[in-house]
Amino acid sequence: MASSTSSSTGRCRRRVVLLRQPSREEDYEPPRRYCYHRMVVSRWTAWTDGNPGRRFYGCPFYYQDGGCGFFAWHDNEFGERANTVIKELSDDIDKLYDENCSLQRVEHGQRMNEELDATHAELRKLRRRHEQYDGELRKGKNKFKVVVSLLFVTYVWLCVLYLKM
Ligand SMILES: [Zn+2]
């Protein structure tokens, strides 16, 4: 039963356990019953192997050391066949939860791979653009050097012409 969930993640395992937790009803049809504390008793659902799904009345603190000890069954005994069927169905639900968990993990992995691929593509695009800008910058620098050189040569010529005059 519990061993079938051993491969599931912590989150998924908690969901399986929740299914088997004793559920507690405060608002059930009359007559209301009172425990030895004189408190309205809760109606619980047992999930033991012997009584899966069978409801009983217990002190509101039943699952905290048994409370005052008040206990009375609400449902008649289900019988061996019904218990076996309920147990098999519960095991099937556990298996489905496990399968669902592993499918979610696979899907999550695929989604992560797709996101990673998209990031790589974006990175390649940025690199290409960077190389393009780098080339343009280098071209601009060379042009600037040519212009400065021409200006310098012109200045020197003008100086020489001025001195000759
Ligand atoms: Zn009580």
Side-chain angles (χ1 to χ4, degrees):
M1 191 161 66
S3 62
S4 68
T5 66
S6 58
S7 64
S8 59
T9 63
R11 206 191 86 208
C12 292
R13 194 198 299 269
R14 270 203 299 281
R15 287 165 67 186
V16 176
V17 171
L18 268 180
L19 186 80
R20 299 283 172 79
Q21 269 181 355
S23 58
R24 176 182 178 173
E25 294 170 70
E26 302 296 339
D27 195 19
Y28 49 85
E29 67 276 7
R32 289 193 149 204
R33 292 164 176 244
Y34 296 88
C35 70
Y36 306 127
H37 288 125
R38 297 190 173 280
M39 292 173 76
V40 176
V41 297
S42 307
R43 188 163 68 185
W44 306 86
T45 301
W47 287 108
T48 56
D49 280 348
N51 291 291
R54 190 175 173 196
R55 292 170 296 175
F56 64 92
Y57 297 100
C59 174
F61 306 109
Y62 185 80
Y63 279 91
Q64 297 168 20
D65 301 328
C68 61
F70 180 90
F71 181 93
W73 285 112
H74 173 73
D75 295 313
N76 294 326
E77 222 173 320
F78 290 161
E80 202 179 313
R81 175 66 189 144
N83 285 348
T84 305
V85 170
I86 291 171
K87 197 182 167 319
E88 282 171 1
L89 289 173
S90 302
D91 288 348
D92 286 347
I93 290 171
D94 278 350
K95 273 181 211 149
L96 287 173
Y97 268 120
D98 274 353
E99 276 177 36
N100 190 29
C101 285
S102 39
L103 285 174
Q104 277 177 7
R105 276 197 297 274
V106 168
E107 196 195 313
H108 179 71
Q110 280 171 351
R111 224 180 309 134
M112 292 298 282
N113 278 343
E114 281 167 16
E115 279 174 26
L116 206 62
D117 286 346
T119 309
H120 274 299
E122 190 66 25
L123 198 66
R124 277 196 296 274
K125 217 191 289 174
L126 285 171
R127 246 183 227 148
R128 271 200 301 276
R129 207 178 294 165
H130 174 79
E131 281 164 13
Q132 203 181 324
Y133 287 150
D134 209 36
E136 280 174 23
L137 192 69
R138 233 176 290 132
K139 259 188 246 167
K141 272 185 189 167
N142 287 341
K143 271 185 200 164
F144 180 73
K145 275 182 201 164
V146 169
V147 169
V148 168
S149 305
L150 281 176
L151 281 174
F152 181 71
V153 168
T154 312
Y155 172 74
V156 169
W157 266 105
L158 285 174
C159 287
V160 168
L161 282 176
Y162 178 75
L163 287 174
K164 279 186 178 173
M165 277 179 14

